[in-house]
Amino acid sequence: MNKRSKLIKIAIALAVVVFLIYQYYASAVNSISTESAVSFEHIDGIDGVATFIRNEVTVTDDTDGTVHFLVASGEKIAKGGTIANVYENDSASAAASRIEEIDEQLSLIAEIEGYNDSTAVDVDTINERISGYLNSFLYKTADSRFSDLGTVVSDLLTMMTRKQVAIGEQSDFGALKDSLNAEKSKLEGNVGTPKSYIYSDTAGYFVSNADGCESKLKTDDLSLYTPEYIKDLREDTVPQNVIGKIVYDYEWYLAVPVTLNDSRYFRQGDTIEVKTNISTSARLSTTVAQVNNSKSGDEAMLILRCNEMNSELASVRTAEVTVIKSEHSGIMVKSEAMRIVEGKTGVYVVSGLEAKFVEADIIFSGDDYHICALNTSDSSKLRLYDKIIVKGRNLYDGKIIY
């Protein structure tokens, strides 16, 4: 190997080494770490177990026999409405239940037959409704709202049958109706006349059980509900003749235990949002009715007035809640990503192959993060889903980072 060849090889080796050193240096200097700008909600609140205070009256029956309810637990009932029939035995009650099911099926068939003219039915509309009911079913299942599934399934089956009728797959319900009517006639002979009837003395929500606190948690004297009173609350034994209760006042209260320091945050008349673990009422809008201090002076009971009512709220006595003192929602930014450039607060984001400084309006600061105002359109400010540069050296507008 001649001297010239050796020099060429040495030069090439040196060039490779210099290139590698440069690449390593450039990588070390220009290395960045990024995170997507995502929405975030911060809630500053007080967690506790709320006790529900409602006006309720128990429903009793002393007739020997089997109580056959005509209203479901949690269902509204009018004053004077029939809550239940009392039959001679379980067999008669079971026959009555089957007759109700048959009547529902016959009513459904009659409704479906009303759509028997395929030329008057928009199949695309039916398909949209089927998709809607399926989505509703999946949503309610994921949200554990199983008590709501019955209606959704019924509506879904109805719409699917209507589609079959509309496209000509099913049109004759005569045999099914004859079979149902024959079964109904046979059952009617087994039911007989109810021994007695149970009526509601007031309008409200019927609940098919009582917990023994109905007389201890009334709304007429809110000063009664101190921390000691709620702690010492014991359920009375429910008499055997009690078959349920009526929640008859839609204005009710939550009693939430708080520390004395936390209680000073609240003033009578304040509007307070409350998060709950109740699926049908994840949020409640309430008003501070009063704050009752404990005798020891280190605790308090926050009494919140609420005007929202539904079947689940009428049925439960306690619930896990968060009393919201303040909440902020926007774009979360780590503190290390925030910078001040020419007197403006903001962050660097990735724009193509370059770094770009954008302003960020801070609305809340935590220990190691900030929440900035939500923005989806103004490109001069931080936008949702921007790629924020969390770590990077010597950043400036237009710096090539890739």
Side-chain angles (χ1 to χ4, degrees):
M1 183 180 293
N2 58 38
K3 186 175 182 180
R4 179 179 176 82
S5 297
K6 288 182 179 179
L7 290 175
I8 292 173
K9 288 184 177 181
I10 292 172
I12 292 173
L14 288 173
V16 170
V17 170
V18 170
F19 175 78
L20 292 175
I21 292 174
Y22 171 79
Q23 289 295 322
Y24 174 80
Y25 175 78
S27 175
V29 172
N30 292 327
S31 64
I32 64 170
S33 174
T34 64
E35 288 186 0
S36 292
V38 296
S39 59
F40 181 75
E41 181 182 45
H42 169 82
I43 293 179
D44 179 18
I46 303 168
D47 296 327
V49 176
T51 300
F52 290 9
I53 302 167
R54 300 178 294 246
N55 287 327
E56 307 164 323
V57 59
T58 56
V59 179
T60 61
D61 176 66
D62 295 307
T63 307
D64 289 334
T66 300
V67 177
H68 178 83
F69 290 106
L70 300 180
V71 292
S73 185
E75 187 177 340
K76 286 184 179 180
I77 189 168
K79 181 178 181 179
T82 306
I83 297 173
N85 296 336
V86 181
Y87 288 104
E88 188 69 38
N89 50 47
D90 292 347
S91 178
S93 177
S97 296
R98 178 55 186 158
I99 289 173
E100 290 168 5
E101 293 175 0
I102 291 173
D103 285 339
E104 288 180 5
Q105 288 178 282
L106 290 171
S107 177
L108 178 59
I109 291 172
E111 185 180 356
I112 292 171
E113 287 180 326
Y115 288 80
N116 204 20
D117 182 3
S118 60
T119 61
V121 177
D122 184 351
V123 177
D124 289 337
T125 300
I126 291 178
N127 286 335
E128 288 179 7
R129 292 183 180 179
I130 289 174
S131 297
Y133 290 134
L134 284 171
N135 289 334
S136 179
F137 179 86
L138 294 173
Y139 173 78
K140 292 178 186 296
T141 301
D143 202 31
S144 299
R145 294 166 60 181
F146 302 116
S147 60
D148 298 341
L149 292 180
T151 301
V152 176
V153 171
S154 176
D155 291 339
L156 176 60
L157 292 175
T158 299
M159 202 56 60
M160 292 174 71
T161 307
R162 284 181 183 171
K163 181 177 179 180
Q164 285 182 298
V165 173
I167 62 179
E169 289 187 0
Q170 183 173 346
S171 59
D172 184 11
F173 293 94
L176 178 57
K177 287 191 295 182
D178 290 343
S179 175
L180 290 172
N181 281 316
E183 183 184 359
K184 179 179 177 181
S185 297
K186 183 178 180 180
L187 289 168
E188 286 174 337
N190 298 331
V191 172
T193 303
K195 295 179 65 177
S196 64
Y197 304 90
I198 304 172
Y199 301 103
S200 175
D201 293 332
T202 184
Y205 284 88
F206 171 71
V207 179
S208 61
N209 68 284
D211 58 18
C213 291
E214 286 75 19
S215 62
K216 295 183 175 182
L217 293 170
K218 295 286 188 181
T219 67
D220 52 355
D221 184 8
L222 298 178
S223 62
L224 178 68
Y225 305 116
T226 61
E228 291 88 354
Y229 184 92
I230 297 299
K231 283 180 182 178
D232 295 338
L233 185 65
R234 297 292 182 271
E235 299 173 353
D236 287 337
T237 301
V238 180
Q240 298 226 342
N241 65 342
V242 173
I243 66 164
K245 63 187 176 185
I246 303 291
V247 178
Y248 62 85
D249 195 343
Y250 294 166
E251 182 174 274
W252 57 284
Y253 298 84
L254 299 86
V256 186
V258 297
T259 65
L260 189 63
N261 284 337
D262 281 336
S263 73
R264 292 171 179 153
Y265 178 85
F266 303 97
R267 295 290 181 270
Q268 190 173 28
D270 287 350
T271 299
I272 302 294
E273 288 286 309
V274 177
K275 288 184 65 176
T276 82
N277 65 344
I278 299 174
S279 60
T280 56
S281 302
R283 284 239 181 181
L284 294 172
S285 179
T286 70
T287 304
V288 177
Q290 62 188 66
V291 180
N292 298 333
N293 292 336
S294 65
K295 293 179 181 179
S296 61
D298 57 353
E299 292 180 288
M301 192 63 67
L302 184 62
I303 310 297
L304 303 174
R305 181 187 300 111
C306 185
N307 294 310
E308 301 176 33
M309 180 57 70
N310 59 38
S311 60
E312 195 169 6
L313 291 173
S315 301
V316 299
R317 180 61 72 188
T318 61
E320 295 179 5
V321 301
T322 299
V323 179
I324 298 174
K325 296 168 67 175
S326 64
E327 59 182 326
H328 306 276
S329 59
I331 300 173
M332 184 175 73
V333 178
K334 286 185 176 179
S335 298
E336 58 191 302
M338 199 66 69
R339 292 173 167 82
I340 297 178
V341 177
E342 296 180 357
K344 296 179 180 179
T345 302
V347 296
Y348 280 99
V349 299
V350 177
S351 178
L353 302 177
E354 301 176 348
K356 176 185 177 183
F357 180 78
V358 293
E359 292 184 61
D361 299 325
I362 299 174
I363 58 177
F364 176 81
S365 295
D367 293 336
D368 57 358
Y369 69 92
H370 303 282
I371 297 179
C372 301
L374 188 63
N375 169 46
T376 58
S377 58
D378 188 350
S379 60
S380 67
K381 294 187 176 183
L382 178 63
R383 293 179 295 181
L384 195 62
Y385 308 123
D386 274 347
K387 188 177 286 188
I388 302 172
I389 300 176
V390 179
K391 291 182 181 179
R393 294 183 180 181
N394 303 319
L395 295 175
Y396 54 85
D397 264 339
K399 179 177 180 179
I400 304 297
I401 53 178
Y402 289 120

